[in-house]
Amino acid sequence: MDQAQAHQWLAIAVEEARAGLAEGGIPIGAALYGADGTLLGRGHNRRVQDDDPSMHAETAAFRAAGRQRSYRGTTMVTTLSPCWYCSGLVRQFGIGRVVVGEATTFHGGHDWLAEHGVDIVLVDDPACVRLMRDFIENNPALWNEDIGD
C-alpha cells in the first residue's frame, strides 16, 4: 500500500473522528476496506453517545460493514493505534492490514499485530495527533475512562 492510498483511506476515518467529537464523544474514527478497495463500513467511537463501553471506532466500522464471508485481505483504517480490544478484533477475524493514523498519543497493540503477521502502515499524521492531543488536554477524565487508565 502506498502512502497516497493510506492518506486517502485515512481521510474517511478522520471524518468519522470529527463526527464523534461533534457529538460529544471520543474523536477516534475508523473504516474497513475490502481487498478490492471498496469501503465496507465506517464508524467512530460511540462509547459516550451510546453508553456502551464496547463501541470503539474499529468496532463501529466492523459492525457497519456487516457480515462478510471472509475478512482476509481487508484493511482496517483507524485514526489512533488500536487498543487491545480492537487489536483482538483484527486478529479474531483475520483482517490482514491496519492503517494507523497515529501512535504518538497512544501506542496500542499494533506492534503485537505486526508480530502476528498483520501488515501495519503507520501514517503518523499530524492532524490525527493534534486532534487527540487537544481532546486529551481538554477531557483528561473522559480519555482515561475510555482507555482504561
Side-chain angles (χ1 to χ4, degrees):
M1 165 175 268
D2 64 30
Q3 286 294 311
Q5 184 179 36
H7 277 93
Q8 181 184 14
W9 287 6
L10 181 61
I12 298 298
V14 170
E15 285 177 16
E16 287 292 331
R18 289 190 174 129
L21 182 62
E23 295 169 359
I26 315 292
I28 303 169
L32 183 65
Y33 286 88
D36 64 355
T38 301
L39 177 61
L40 301 173
R42 58 190 285 173
H44 51 272
N45 185 301
R46 296 194 50 84
R47 188 185 63 78
V48 173
Q49 300 91 312
D50 295 350
D51 196 30
D52 179 352
S54 71
M55 190 48 82
H56 288 201
E58 297 87 344
T59 307
F62 181 76
R63 288 179 180 173
R67 184 173 163 221
Q68 303 294 312
R69 184 171 173 86
S70 172
Y71 296 91
R72 303 267 180 233
T74 61
T75 299
M76 179 66 75
V77 181
T78 179
T79 58
L80 185 65
S81 179
C83 69
W84 290 111
Y85 170 67
C86 296
S87 295
L89 180 143
V90 168
R91 289 268 293 139
Q92 174 68 33
F93 291 95
I95 295 169
R97 180 187 301 133
V98 177
V99 174
V100 178
E102 69 105 343
T104 302
T105 60
F106 176 74
H107 194 101
H110 70 268
D111 291 335
W112 175 76
L113 288 170
E115 290 169 8
H116 289 87
V118 177
D119 180 26
I120 302 297
V121 179
L122 180 56
V123 176
D124 208 13
D125 183 72
C128 290
V129 173
R130 196 169 34 260
L131 186 64
M132 285 310 303
R133 279 197 175 143
D134 290 349
F135 178 79
I136 293 167
E137 182 179 321
N138 294 321
N139 303 278
L142 184 56
W143 170 248
N144 288 331
E145 177 186 328
D146 186 59
I147 208 59
D149 288 345

